[in-house]
């Protein structure tokens, strides 16, 4: 197991660079808050048989999944931006040590330092029961695990 050095407190120029990266990533998202249902459905004239229907359903499911993932990421980007404004950005929520600049450049929405994140992932791998869903934040019940 490698020992990871704790990060240094972010400088003003690093914070500005990270804020720019957050804005850039949010502006690069494909889906917006406003989604029209026809974006996820084929016109009726293109649904002539069961194969077309199945293909349309599959495509719609994929598009909805991508949209939901982007909306979830957009929420995380906005929360990170709020933490910058409050002066709380770049501090680990577990150990309250600074999160390294390189980690934040790679993952601007990071809320844990690399040491705490690795520990959380080890704990998650050991215990499936009680694990949180990454996209919904809901606890996974034991009946769903089976």
């Amino acid at each position: 197991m490698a020992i990871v050095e704790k990060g240094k407190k972010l400088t003003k120029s690093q914070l500005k660079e990270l804020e720019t990266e957050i804005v850039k990533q949010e502006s690069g998202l494909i889906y917006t808050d406003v989604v029209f249902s026809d974006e996820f459905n084929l016109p009726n004239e293109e649904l002539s048989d069961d194969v077309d229907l199945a293909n349309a359903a599959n495509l719609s499911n994929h598009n909805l999944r991508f949209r939901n993932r982007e909306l979830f990421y957009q929420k995380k980007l906005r929360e990170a931006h709020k933490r910058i404004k409050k002066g709380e950005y770049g501090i680990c929520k577990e150990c309250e040590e600074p999160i390294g600049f390189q980690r934040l450049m790679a993952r601007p929405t990071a809320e844990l330092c690399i040491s705490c994140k690795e520990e959380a992932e080890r704990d998650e791998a050991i215990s499936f029961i009680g694990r949180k869903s990454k996209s919904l934040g809901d606890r996974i019940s034991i009946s769903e695990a089976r």
Side-chain angles (χ1 to χ4, degrees), residues 42-103:
L42 287 175
N44 285 337
E45 58 270 5
E46 292 185 29
L47 302 176
S48 60
D49 62 19
D50 290 342
V51 174
D52 289 338
L53 285 170
N55 190 34
N58 190 32
L59 181 62
S60 179
N61 286 338
H62 282 292
N63 286 339
L64 285 170
R65 183 172 180 215
F66 292 139
R67 186 207 65 170
N68 288 340
R69 288 182 72 176
E70 277 202 349
L71 290 176
F72 180 72
Y73 189 59
Q74 182 181 44
K75 179 182 173 187
K76 290 184 77 150
L77 289 168
R78 288 180 178 174
E79 288 171 358
H81 199 255
K82 286 179 189 175
R83 287 194 314 273
I84 289 174
K85 298 297 182 198
K86 289 181 179 178
E88 301 170 354
Y89 184 75
I91 304 297
C92 178
K93 286 192 170 187
E94 289 290 319
C95 68
E96 298 182 358
E97 291 289 327
I99 301 171
F101 176 70
Q102 293 300 326
R103 171 158 170 69

Side-chain angles (χ1 to χ4, degrees), residues 5-146:
E5 253 184 64
K6 294 290 182 183
K8 295 179 183 176
K9 189 170 171 134
L10 298 171
T11 65
K12 287 183 181 184
S13 64
Q14 287 174 328
L15 267 174
K16 186 68 177 165
E17 189 175 343
L18 287 161
E19 186 174 20
T20 302
E21 181 63 24
I22 288 169
V23 170
K24 177 182 159 191
Q25 285 193 19
E26 187 172 357
S27 67
L29 296 176
I30 296 171
Y31 297 106
T32 61
D33 290 333
V34 178
V35 178
F36 301 102
S37 62
D38 57 335
E39 289 182 50
F40 298 101
N41 297 313
L42 287 175
N44 285 337
E45 58 270 5
E46 292 185 29
L47 302 176
S48 60
D49 62 19
D50 290 342
V51 174
D52 289 338
L53 285 170
N55 190 34
N58 190 32
L59 181 62
S60 179
N61 286 338
H62 282 292
N63 286 339
L64 285 170
R65 183 172 180 215
F66 292 139
R67 186 207 65 170
N68 288 340
R69 288 182 72 176
E70 277 202 349
L71 290 176
F72 180 72
Y73 189 59
Q74 182 181 44
K75 179 182 173 187
K76 290 184 77 150
L77 289 168
R78 288 180 178 174
E79 288 171 358
H81 199 255
K82 286 179 189 175
R83 287 194 314 273
I84 289 174
K85 298 297 182 198
K86 289 181 179 178
E88 301 170 354
Y89 184 75
I91 304 297
C92 178
K93 286 192 170 187
E94 289 290 319
C95 68
E96 298 182 358
E97 291 289 327
I99 301 171
F101 176 70
Q102 293 300 326
R103 171 158 170 69
L104 290 169
M105 280 302 291
R107 171 84 52 192
T109 58
E111 296 178 341
L112 300 175
C113 68
I114 195 70
S115 298
C116 291
K117 182 62 177 172
E118 287 174 347
E119 184 178 337
E121 287 177 353
R122 278 191 298 275
D123 291 345
E124 184 179 297
I126 292 170
S127 172
F128 181 79
I129 299 170
R131 196 168 119 189
K132 277 190 167 186
S133 164
K134 289 181 178 38
S135 59
L136 301 176
D138 296 331
R139 293 250 177 231
I140 298 172
S141 72
I142 194 164
S143 61
E144 291 176 28
R146 293 181 184 175

